[in-house]
Amino acid sequence: MDSIRKIFGYIHIALALLVALQFLVSPMYGGDVNGTIWDMVSILMAVGCIPALIFAVIRVRETEDRSDWGAKAMLIATLVLFLLFFRLFFSSQVFDSAEKPPYEFRLLMWYGIDVLFVVVSLFVGRYLLRSGTGQRRA
């Protein structure tokens, strides 16, 4: 189990760095290339949100007896990310729903989701790497 946690920890750190780099670099090249790259990154983000939520729930279950605010905060942030991301991802990219928000508001929502994804992925990756090496908190 420790090796699986370590692998997922590195994957989450890499996803966080990828999204952060794309977020910072995307205004430089704009246009159709920007949209195509964001579509690929969004699919990776969708894949990354699911194990992040699973590991956040596992962390809360592991620390159920103790009052670990970090575990609860990670679960809440991951749940908010999961709900916001998939609501916007499904409505605008998968189903092209008529119920999607206006473009400017969608762009603002994506900015918030991208930043939240980086923060959550870094915390999940850090937790997985620390727990994968046997360094659990008391």
Side-chain angles (χ1 to χ4, degrees), residues 12 15 44-54 78 81-82 85-86 113 117 121:
H12 276 285
L15 281 173
L44 292 173
M45 288 171 67
V47 172
C49 280
I50 297 168
L53 184 61
I54 291 169
T78 307
L81 171 68
F82 183 83
F85 177 81
F86 279 107
I113 290 169
F117 183 85
S121 288

Side-chain angles (χ1 to χ4, degrees), residues 15-17 19-20 81 113-123:
L15 281 173
L17 294 175
V19 172
L81 171 68
I113 290 169
D114 294 337
V115 171
L116 185 60
F117 183 85
V118 170
V119 171
V120 165
S121 288
L122 284 174
F123 277 107

Side-chain angles (χ1 to χ4, degrees), residues 19-107:
V19 172
L21 183 66
Q22 171 62 14
F23 184 75
L24 293 174
V25 174
S26 66
M28 294 179 198
Y29 52 83
D32 290 337
V33 174
N34 189 20
T36 304
I37 293 174
W38 269 119
D39 288 344
M40 290 186 288
V41 170
S42 293
I43 291 170
L44 292 173
M45 288 171 67
V47 172
C49 280
I50 297 168
L53 184 61
I54 291 169
F55 286 120
V57 170
I58 289 172
R59 181 177 178 187
V60 167
R61 303 261 315 176
E62 286 176 349
T63 62
E64 207 170 86
D65 298 338
R66 293 173 275 162
S67 178
D68 187 5
W69 287 98
K72 293 173 185 168
M74 188 172 101
L75 177 64
I76 291 169
T78 307
L79 188 59
V80 167
L81 171 68
F82 183 83
L83 292 173
L84 286 175
F85 177 81
F86 279 107
R87 168 70 170 100
L88 194 58
F89 182 72
F90 284 144
S91 71
S92 65
Q93 289 187 290
V94 176
F95 298 116
D96 199 26
S97 173
E99 192 183 307
K100 60 185 171 189
Y103 175 75
E104 292 82 14
F105 188 65
R106 251 184 304 150
L107 193 60

Side-chain angles (χ1 to χ4, degrees), residues 5 55 59 62 74 123-131:
R5 286 181 180 226
F55 286 120
R59 181 177 178 187
E62 286 176 349
M74 188 172 101
F123 277 107
V124 169
R126 179 183 163 272
Y127 159 71
L128 291 172
L129 289 175
R130 285 179 56 132
S131 65

